[in-house]
Amino acid sequence: MRRLAIRDGWSTFILISLVVLSATWSIESADWADGLGMLTTIAILGLAVGLGVSLARRIPALLAHLLALALGWVVVLFEMTNFLSDAIGGREAKLHFLWHRWDAWYALVSHGQRAEDLYLFVLLMGALVWIMAYTSVWLVFRSRSVWLALLFSGIVVFTNLGYSLKVPTALLILYLFAAILLLMRFSLAQREDRWRRSGVPFPDTLAWRGLWVASYLAIAVLIFGWVFPVTAQSQSLVTAWQRIDGPWVQVRDSLNGWFSGLRGPDAGGGPGGFAAFSDEFSVGGPLRLSTTPVLLVKGGNSQYLIAHTYSTFTGRSWSSDDDSVASDLYISLNANQAYPLPSTSAKDRGSASFEVQILQPRGTVIYTADALGSVSVPSQLQLSWYPYQDQPLDVASATEATTPPTLWPLVQLLQDADFSPPQRGGGVFGLPPDLQVPRERGITPTASPGPEASPAAVGTPTPAGSPTPAASPTPNEPGVLPFGVSLPNVTPPPGRDRIAIPDNWDDIRDAMNDLTARHISVQVVLGPSYHAQTLRFTGNLPVYADLEAVFSQGGVRTGDSYTVSTLPTQATVGDLRQAGTTYPVEIASRYLQLPTTVTLRVSQLAHAIGDSQANPYDKASAIESFLRSNYKYNENVNAPPRGDDIVDYFLFESKQGYCTYYSTSMVEMLRILGIPAREVVGFYPASFDQNSGGYLYRDLNSHAWVEAYFPGYGWIPFEPTAARSEIARYVPPAASNPSSSASGSSQLPPNTDGRLQELNELGGGGFGGPVTVQHHTSPFEWALRALAVAALVLLVVVSYLWLRGMRGLSQTTQLFTKLQRGASWGGVRADPALTPYEYAGAVGKRVPAARNHASLLAELYVRERYGAYPAASDELSRARHAWLRLRSLLLRHLLLDQWRPSVRARALDETDD
């Protein structure tokens, strides 16, 4: 067994392993992406390699590091290829797959663009965990730098705990407990090493006794830190922390841009949760938002700022992914280029603009408001796409506002095209090269087809370059023109089979070929006047009425600014009541989706509220008012039980929550009633900051609300959260109150929110100091804290009673005094009439297994006390071992044995005697 011994002890390795594994499990618990379950295996192997290399002291440090990195690379790639789908191929194909993704990811990141490759994120996390595991063991066993080992893992634990509510607090407790014990064990191991070299004797049990003491200390520290959390309200401390936190914020911002598609936690703020503004988030758990400034908005009014919208709800989480199309979901928009808002959403809209200055980036998101007009920087637009099937479009009445932007170039050409054929015998037209008939085929079309002409198949596309033979060819005549031709993707008027080639046919053909390259097929149907009447198209087209998010092509950094032009709605309540229910198919198909977990009582409640209303607007308003009036705003709520539908849990069980609970419930009930609705996240209106000269949006302004679709007017916002004021609808200037604003934008209510306990306003309402965030503590949590305080007080009292009077006593006397106190707590009274030997005998009668140990302590005590003969060092070592055994026996007797009937009866007999 000595060959398996470690100089610093196996306990040191076990403790550093717990520290590393707590950090690893925090990454897995955060659930940033799929595939992170491999990290535990990587960490265990990294710890083993680190131990082996550290103990092999003959290996030079540089060679050991290179060997560990090579092994780590093999392990991480092996685990990564196991995680990747076998549909990619074997391990070699998977490695090529990872290389190509790395190349594409690096090209995006190096040009400051947004990247979302989560496979590379998992690969990065695997490499990070390996390095953390290996270096932690090396730092402890070879470099003797235990603090650096703890710092590495501590940063990982605190980062994941701070940014994800999925990480259990138990992992932090495990990390702190193991770290405190490791510090004590490492310090003691160093002392033991010096004692061995100096020949100083020490007991073999010293390490375990030290671990016991460190355990008590760790428990006391953890209880104190939990019961008495420290909150700093000093502005100087806040400023100092921001200065220290600055470099980490920059690193975090960079990671947000490199891997912007990471999953968020159940809820909450910061990177992760709905306030991360990523492609998906889960609903549930307490809300954690700070007073950190995020944006400064100048110009216009304080308003709701949109970061992201979501369409798909699973019963627990929101997402904006659209798996029905394979096309790229992003459309580019040049700087200051007008966004093509379709007429189905553009009715009664004004214009406004504001400037946004970035104080703390969150990915590359561009914040907008209402309907987008334009952005002053090149942008990428995330849109939903819809698979159209033989969709008709009236060419004659089409305008840029009513036509999908993808089809507008072709529609313009078709509006100018004249397909009228020449009169019979009235001359000839030149054919384009792709419609000429080669002379060597022996077919030369004539200008007069004659009665034998075979009609072209109506509506059947003819590929470019394939001639359509005319009737009655005359082989020996020179090439002349037919009376009419059939053109690819063009259907002649009813009753006609031939048409002429318009002057702009080359441009029309190029536009059709461009659409074909985008997997969009078109068919032009001509009217009686030989002009384009209908354009039928099939394929996946972006839905410009459904803008999900806007991202900057050049990235977003602290200090950047941009100007956003918007088209705020000027629809009145009366307008919205008259909007009707003729929803566009691309909107209804996407925003009436319901999760499979929706319950019957949620559906019944939605109908009970909305069925009595006459139109969709009144239905939405009724649901909005119901939620605002009947549910309590509370940020400190627990996540619903696993498997429960969160809407059902909020409406019928907890009846309290914050913005995402309210908004999710309203969206689901609107969809049950057949009203298209979506989830929106961003910021609620901020207060004006006098010092900055603009509206200062902070992290605590992060918010979620609802938008419902009204035909012709587009997406209209609703505010179901009880802690926020209702959104005021537009009132025409002529009918408005003279004291109110007559601007073209929607009039917004004053800024109020239940999460602010106090706003220290200066001048126009800016924050003059730290804002206290109000959290509600449940009675159960207060009870737990009271129990923890009682336990801490009890620990202090017991420690005092146990240790009082010990100072200045010899070791032998201290051990015998501990025997007396421990036995008396177990029911053996220290009668002054008893000699030490008699008292030891009484202890032996009560606890038979303690007889020999108690006799040894009594003998050493009597010899030193009455014979002036102190115990030798070996005898003191035996006495300490005896006391350690006695302590466990007396503790077991105190807690268990004395309550058994036979033991209690024997104790009564002894008392009677």
Side-chain angles (χ1 to χ4, degrees):
M1 295 300 293
R2 281 189 169 274
R3 301 181 61 183
L4 299 178
I6 302 176
R7 187 185 68 176
D8 295 315
W10 280 101
S11 59
T12 303
F13 178 70
I14 293 174
L15 290 172
I16 191 61
S17 299
L18 290 177
V19 167
V20 171
L21 289 174
S22 64
T24 303
W25 293 334
S26 72
I27 301 175
E28 294 181 357
S29 300
D31 195 27
W32 301 117
D34 294 330
L36 296 177
M38 70 176 72
L39 298 184
T40 298
T41 302
I42 294 174
I44 293 174
L45 293 175
L47 290 167
V49 170
L51 179 63
V53 173
S54 299
L55 296 180
R57 297 183 178 273
R58 294 183 179 181
I59 302 178
L62 180 59
L63 180 60
H65 296 335
L66 293 176
L67 177 62
L69 289 176
L71 290 174
W73 188 243
V74 172
V75 169
V76 172
L77 288 179
F78 180 82
E79 292 294 328
M80 194 68 195
T81 52
N82 284 340
F83 163 65
L84 293 175
S85 172
D86 292 335
I88 299 175
R91 293 195 186 275
E92 184 176 358
K94 293 177 181 179
L95 292 175
H96 282 294
F97 171 80
L98 289 174
W99 173 256
H100 289 306
R101 296 189 75 92
W102 157 260
D103 190 48
W105 176 86
Y106 179 77
L108 288 174
V109 172
S110 61
H111 289 83
Q113 297 185 16
R114 184 173 183 262
E116 295 187 351
D117 199 320
L118 297 186
Y119 289 118
L120 296 184
F121 174 78
V122 175
L123 185 67
L124 174 64
M125 289 297 102
L128 173 67
V129 167
W130 176 272
I131 294 174
M132 176 178 64
Y134 165 74
T135 56
S136 296
V137 178
W138 178 275
L139 288 170
V140 171
F141 287 95
R142 285 286 288 268
S143 296
R144 319 301 289 176
S145 302
V146 66
W147 282 103
L148 289 178
L150 296 178
L151 179 64
F152 198 163
S153 298
I155 290 176
V156 175
V157 171
F158 281 98
T159 298
N160 286 283
L161 185 68
Y163 290 153
S164 174
L165 296 182
K166 291 184 178 180
V167 180
T169 310
L171 290 179
L172 174 62
I173 296 175
L174 175 63
Y175 166 79
L176 294 175
F177 186 80
I180 294 174
L181 265 62
L182 178 62
L183 286 173
M184 189 286 310
R185 181 66 186 93
F186 184 79
S187 177
L188 189 58
Q190 288 182 312
R191 291 177 177 271
E192 290 177 349
D193 189 54
R194 290 197 300 268
W195 292 339
R196 289 191 190 96
R197 291 197 302 267
S198 303
V200 177
F202 60 91
D204 296 336
T205 59
L206 187 60
W208 292 106
R209 292 165 61 186
L211 287 177
W212 274 108
V213 173
S215 300
Y216 300 149
L217 176 63
I219 293 173
V221 169
L222 292 175
I223 291 176
F224 183 84
W226 181 56
V227 175
F228 303 105
V230 178
T231 58
Q233 295 295 328
S234 171
Q235 182 62 42
S236 59
L237 291 178
V238 173
T239 303
W241 169 249
Q242 290 176 349
R243 189 179 301 113
I244 297 172
D245 194 41
W248 167 242
V249 171
Q250 295 178 359
V251 173
R252 185 199 61 195
D253 295 341
S254 299
L255 290 175
N256 286 341
W258 295 349
F259 304 105
S260 55
L262 297 180
R263 279 199 294 263
D266 287 337
F274 79 90
F277 308 147
S278 59
D279 285 338
E280 61 179 347
F281 72 90
S282 298
V283 183
L287 183 63
R288 298 174 182 172
L289 297 174
S290 69
T291 60
T292 304
V294 180
L295 302 172
L296 181 65
V297 175
K298 296 182 179 181
N301 298 322
S302 180
Q303 56 193 313
Y304 284 81
L305 296 182
I306 300 173
H308 215 298
T309 66
Y310 303 91
S311 60
T312 305
F313 181 55
T314 65
R316 300 283 296 200
S317 62
W318 281 102
S319 65
S320 58
D321 54 348
D322 187 358
D323 297 332
S324 62
V325 297
S327 307
D328 184 11
L329 294 179
Y330 295 95
I331 298 295
S332 296
L333 195 69
N334 296 327
N336 297 314
Q337 180 182 349
Y339 178 72
L341 185 68
S343 61
T344 54
S345 302
K347 190 175 181 181
D348 289 344
R349 289 193 175 271
S351 62
S353 64
F354 55 88
E355 179 185 354
V356 178
Q357 181 180 350
I358 302 297
L359 304 179
Q360 185 184 77
R362 292 189 180 175
T364 59
V365 66
I366 294 288
Y367 301 98
T368 64
D370 301 296
L372 178 64
S374 64
V375 183
S376 63
V377 295
S379 308
Q380 285 182 307
L381 311 181
Q382 182 174 340
L383 304 169
S384 66
W385 293 56
Y386 183 77
Y388 293 93
Q389 293 291 332
D390 199 29
Q391 182 75 17
L393 175 67
D394 186 85
V395 175
S397 62
T399 64
E400 186 174 6
T402 62
T403 305
T406 308
L407 302 177
W408 179 239
L410 176 60
V411 170
Q412 286 181 290
L413 294 171
L414 292 175
Q415 289 177 338
D416 297 334
D418 185 1
F419 294 86
S420 301
Q423 299 297 322
R424 290 180 183 273
V428 296
F429 287 76
L431 287 175
D434 59 324
L435 294 178
Q436 290 181 1
V437 181
R439 194 178 294 276
E440 57 269 20
R441 292 186 184 179
I443 300 176
T444 303
T446 64
S448 302
E452 298 90 355
S454 60
V458 176
T460 303
T462 304
S466 301
T468 302
S472 303
T474 306
N476 297 323
E477 293 185 15
V480 295
L481 298 170
F483 168 72
V485 297
S486 63
L487 296 175
N489 305 89
V490 179
T491 301
R496 307 287 183 175
D497 58 1
R498 293 297 190 189
I499 56 176
I501 302 167
D503 295 337
N504 60 351
W505 172 251
D506 289 342
D507 296 331
I508 294 176
R509 180 186 56 197
D510 291 343
M512 289 183 175
N513 290 338
D514 180 65
L515 292 173
T516 301
R518 302 187 189 189
H519 306 286
I520 301 172
S521 61
V522 294
Q523 187 71 28
V524 181
V525 180
L526 303 183
S529 63
Y530 286 94
H531 286 79
Q533 176 175 303
T534 305
L535 175 66
R536 294 187 173 274
F537 57 94
T538 298
N540 295 321
L541 269 71
V543 181
Y544 283 85
D546 185 21
L547 177 62
E548 297 176 352
V550 182
F551 302 98
S552 172
Q553 293 185 14
V556 175
R557 301 166 186 84
T558 300
D560 287 355
S561 61
Y562 51 84
T563 300
V564 178
S565 297
T566 62
L567 307 174
T569 182
Q570 294 181 343
T572 65
V573 172
D575 295 333
L576 298 176
R577 284 173 173 161
Q578 300 298 322
T581 58
T582 308
Y583 302 112
V585 62
E586 58 269 21
I587 297 296
S589 63
R590 184 175 175 85
Y591 290 101
L592 291 178
Q593 172 267 341
L594 287 169
T596 57
T597 58
V598 63
T599 62
L600 177 61
R601 58 181 180 177
V602 172
S603 180
Q604 292 174 340
L605 178 61
H607 285 287
I609 299 171
D611 285 353
S612 60
Q613 306 300 325
N615 55 78
Y617 177 79
D618 287 338
K619 295 176 187 287
S621 297
I623 293 177
E624 179 187 45
S625 299
F626 176 81
L627 293 173
R628 294 176 60 86
S629 303
N630 293 278
Y631 296 89
K632 179 184 177 183
Y633 185 88
N634 185 4
E635 296 178 0
N636 194 26
V637 292
N638 297 322
R642 189 176 299 275
D644 285 9
D645 179 87
I646 197 151
V647 174
D648 183 271
Y649 176 79
F650 171 69
L651 293 177
F652 299 102
E653 302 296 335
S654 70
K655 297 185 179 181
Q656 57 182 341
Y658 49 90
C659 57
T660 52
Y661 288 85
Y662 287 89
S663 57
T664 299
S665 300
M666 182 172 179
V667 170
E668 185 168 295
M669 288 196 286
L670 286 177
R671 292 182 177 185
I672 290 173
L673 297 179
I675 302 173
R678 66 183 183 182
E679 181 86 352
V680 187
V681 298
F683 295 105
Y684 69 79
S687 297
F688 187 83
D689 184 75
Q690 194 71 30
N691 296 328
S692 303
Y695 298 98
L696 189 60
Y697 288 79
R698 298 174 181 265
D699 182 46
L700 57 79
N701 286 94
S702 301
H703 191 53
W705 63 97
V706 178
E707 285 185 345
Y709 189 86
F710 293 86
Y713 301 97
W715 295 103
I716 302 298
F718 289 83
E719 181 54 88
T721 302
R724 295 289 304 130
S725 297
E726 292 185 60
I727 297 176
R729 301 300 170 199
Y730 178 78
V731 178
S736 64
N737 190 298
S739 62
S740 64
S741 172
S743 64
S745 61
S746 299
Q747 298 175 2
L748 296 172
N751 179 41
T752 59
D753 195 281
R755 75 182 60 158
L756 294 180
Q757 184 181 16
E758 180 180 6
L759 293 180
N760 300 318
E761 298 185 347
L762 294 178
F767 294 101
V771 178
T772 303
V773 182
Q774 181 180 13
H775 292 289
H776 301 279
T777 303
S778 65
F780 178 72
E781 186 171 351
W782 278 118
L784 286 179
R785 293 191 177 189
L787 288 175
V789 171
L792 184 60
V793 172
L794 180 63
L795 178 63
V796 172
V797 172
V798 170
S799 299
Y800 170 76
L801 294 176
W802 179 258
L803 298 175
R804 79 185 191 282
M806 293 285 188
R807 180 178 300 180
L809 299 179
S810 66
Q811 294 189 41
T812 303
T813 305
Q814 286 183 8
L815 292 175
F816 188 76
T817 303
K818 290 180 179 179
L819 169 63
Q820 290 179 311
R821 290 181 181 176
S824 64
W825 290 1
V828 181
R829 292 185 297 107
D831 192 335
L834 296 177
T835 67
Y837 290 115
E838 291 173 336
Y839 187 78
V843 173
K845 286 184 179 181
R846 182 65 60 87
V847 185
R851 180 177 293 108
N852 293 333
H853 304 299
S855 298
L856 175 62
L857 296 182
E859 180 182 353
L860 294 176
Y861 173 73
V862 169
R863 196 174 68 186
E864 179 183 83
R865 175 79 175 178
Y866 301 105
Y869 185 71
S873 59
D874 59 332
E875 292 176 325
L876 285 176
S877 179
R878 289 173 52 203
R880 283 191 289 265
H881 280 288
W883 165 244
L884 291 177
R885 180 57 179 162
L886 271 171
R887 183 176 62 182
S888 61
L889 292 172
L890 293 175
L891 183 62
R892 187 180 68 179
H893 175 74
L894 172 65
L895 299 178
L896 299 176
D897 292 347
Q898 71 169 332
W899 306 109
R900 291 186 298 180
S902 60
V903 176
R904 294 181 64 186
R906 186 169 66 250
L908 291 175
D909 292 340
E910 294 173 358
T911 303
D912 294 339
D913 294 341

